[in-house]
Amino acid sequence: MRQARHRLTVTVVGAGVIGLWQAYEFARRGHRVLVCEAAPEKATGAASRLAGAMLAPYCEAETAPALVTELGLRSLVHWRELMPTLSTRGTLVVTCRRDEAELFHFARRTTGHLSIGLGDLSALESELSQRFGRALYYGDEGHVPPRLALSLLIDRLRSLGAELRFSQPVSGPLWLAAGAGELVIDCRGMAAQCNLAGLRGVAGEMAVLHAPGVRLSRPIRLLHPRAPVYIVPWGDGTYMVGATMLESAAVGGMSLRSALELLGSATVVHQGFAGAQVVEMSTGIRPAYDDNLPKVVWRGRCLSVNGAYRHGFLLAPALAEMVADHLEMGTVLPPELTEYKRRTGTMA
Ligand SMILES: Cc1cc2nc3c(=O)[nH]c(=O)nc-3n(C[C@H](O)[C@H](O)[C@H](O)COP(=O)(O)OP(=O)(O)OC[C@H]3O[C@@H](n4cnc5c(N)ncnc54)[C@H](O)[C@@H]3O)c2cc1C
């Protein structure tokens, strides 16, 4: 890691996955870093705490532009450096026999996979082989337990000498908060909506199940025409089941219909989930722009990094590296990440 020639004073507002990676990248380059977070330490990262935290650059290409795959692959390298024990067992995509056309379409829209039959499937996840005869295997993908990853980033920041202030909301216009020689990076997620034209919320309902009798070691995505679901092992017999995609920024409880669909689909993947204990049911709001790509927006000495949509974990390290390179060396950011394009036009 190169050391900065000019030491900046950087204040990061918001300790979700985007803010913590920004802070970590600047701190490890030798800059002076302060993180201010509205929530207490154990509750940081409004959307980030609820993410499956799949690092799935290939699977996400089914609906995301190529830039997401490119940046996601870069991020995987950084995640591996941060967490050498990171699980990179890949992702399995499965479907019920009657929906096998879905598997074919998913394969056509993505790369980085192998089409596998029963033998390979039972070698990878023996408990799935009674239900599914074939699957797509994305062997280079990974996942992190999100709450552990946020805590690890906080620990690393402290060990690098960064100052972290929790239960400390920053109010007022952030672009007026930075003095000469200082930089503010606004990573407030949905809380910044009032200051960012075009930022919208996409709600995601999720459940956490404790199912010690189920043994799955990698994220499983079930393709289904009405109730697709993914299941992510979070460790210690705990699984995250997610997630709906609702065009809404309203934080509320999970609807009964979503609960039935998500949990019903989980039992389609593995019957053992029928006996699981439901530990948590929550709704997180993904901050997103119209094109579902994050944006880096300047206002005075304040830089906003937001709109990571369903890719905050996948993109946070690459975004942090790009922002730090941009500030230190003047490297140009990809235009897709700096311009907010409405479907009908372009605005700065
Ligand atoms: C159900 C669900 C599943 C997901 N699964 C995945 C996945 O598998 N892979 C993936 O890559 N992404 C996933 N995502 C997306 C990912 O969670 C988001 O993209 C990411 O969390 C956005 O991070 P953020 O740091 O921008 O926002 P947040 O995580 O919301 O963090 C913002 C932080 O700012 C703080 N804050 C707000 N206002 C202030 C203030 N005034 N002063 C100080 N602090 C403030 C908040 O308290 C919060 O800690 C998922 C999201 C959801 C909801």
Side-chain angles (χ1 to χ4, degrees):
M1 177 56 48
R2 67 186 153 268
Q3 287 295 302
R5 270 182 296 162
H6 306 293
R7 200 163 182 234
L8 295 166
T9 298
V10 182
T11 301
V12 176
V13 182
V17 72
I18 297 293
L20 288 175
W21 265 102
Q22 293 288 328
Y24 178 54
E25 185 66 34
F26 278 96
R28 65 181 177 154
R29 291 180 187 216
H31 299 290
R32 196 177 299 116
V33 171
L34 165 67
V35 178
C36 294
E37 163 59 46
E41 179 162 347
K42 295 287 174 211
T44 58
S48 304
R49 284 180 63 75
L50 304 175
M54 293 177 290
L55 308 174
Y58 295 113
C59 283
E60 287 301 313
E62 191 222 359
T63 50
L67 185 60
V68 169
T69 305
E70 186 192 316
L71 298 180
L73 289 170
R74 268 157 68 176
S75 288
L76 263 170
V77 176
H78 293 294
W79 275 114
R80 274 197 201 101
E81 275 169 24
L82 178 77
M83 301 175 83
T85 55
L86 167 77
S87 173
T88 45
R89 291 163 178 261
T91 306
L92 277 172
V93 179
V94 294
T95 190
C96 300
R97 230 170 271 279
R98 65 172 185 271
D99 302 322
E100 269 185 3
E102 300 271 337
L103 207 59
F104 175 70
H105 289 307
F106 197 91
R108 270 209 323 199
R109 289 195 295 267
T110 55
T111 57
H113 56 76
L114 290 173
S115 185
I116 61 170
L118 190 57
D120 289 331
L121 180 56
S122 25
L124 289 167
E125 295 289 357
S126 60
E127 296 189 1
L128 290 188
S129 58
Q130 285 173 358
R131 298 224 149 182
F132 306 101
R134 54 197 302 179
L136 298 173
Y137 177 48
Y138 296 78
D140 292 332
E141 296 191 337
H143 71 282
V144 291
R147 297 168 193 183
L148 188 75
L150 297 175
S151 295
L152 181 63
L153 280 163
I154 289 169
D155 290 348
R156 287 293 164 84
L157 277 164
R158 287 201 173 109
S159 68
L160 288 166
E163 187 184 346
L164 292 102
R165 294 183 194 158
F166 295 99
S167 304
Q168 177 128 357
V170 177
S171 54
L174 299 186
W175 51 96
L176 299 180
E182 288 176 13
L183 175 75
V184 172
I185 307 186
D186 177 5
C187 302
R188 287 175 293 156
M190 279 313 294
Q193 191 178 25
C194 53
N195 302 124
L196 293 173
L199 194 73
R200 75 188 207 282
V202 181
E205 297 155 303
M206 53 79 82
V208 182
L209 304 181
H210 185 57
V214 174
R215 281 194 186 74
L216 298 175
S217 60
R218 51 178 63 72
I220 313 292
R221 292 183 184 226
L222 173 73
L223 305 181
H224 189 280
R226 286 179 314 286
V229 73
Y230 56 76
I231 293 168
V232 189
W234 273 9
D236 297 329
T238 300
Y239 295 86
M240 184 271 200
V241 180
T244 52
M245 299 272 288
L246 311 167
E247 283 292 330
S248 166
V251 189
M254 188 190 293
S255 73
L256 178 63
R257 186 200 322 192
S258 299
L260 290 171
E261 284 180 357
L262 285 179
L263 301 181
S265 291
T267 63
V268 171
V269 173
H270 195 302
Q271 188 55 37
F273 286 120
Q277 187 192 348
V278 181
V279 178
E280 180 179 335
M281 280 183 164
S282 301
T283 305
I285 311 298
R286 309 170 182 94
Y289 287 95
D290 252 17
D291 59 3
N292 296 330
L293 284 171
K295 302 283 170 267
V296 179
V297 179
W298 276 106
R299 191 158 187 186
R301 300 274 314 154
C302 174
L303 191 72
S304 151
V305 186
N306 211 323
Y309 182 49
R310 49 185 280 167
H311 304 129
F313 280 81
L314 181 61
L315 300 183
L319 282 173
E321 183 183 41
M322 282 193 301
V323 167
D325 283 351
H326 175 65
L327 285 161
E328 283 185 348
M329 299 181 285
T331 51
V332 177
L333 295 164
E336 300 96 311
L337 303 188
T338 52
E339 283 171 16
Y340 164 56
K341 287 196 173 122
R342 277 190 189 282
R343 288 197 180 103
T344 51
T346 305
M347 52 178 262

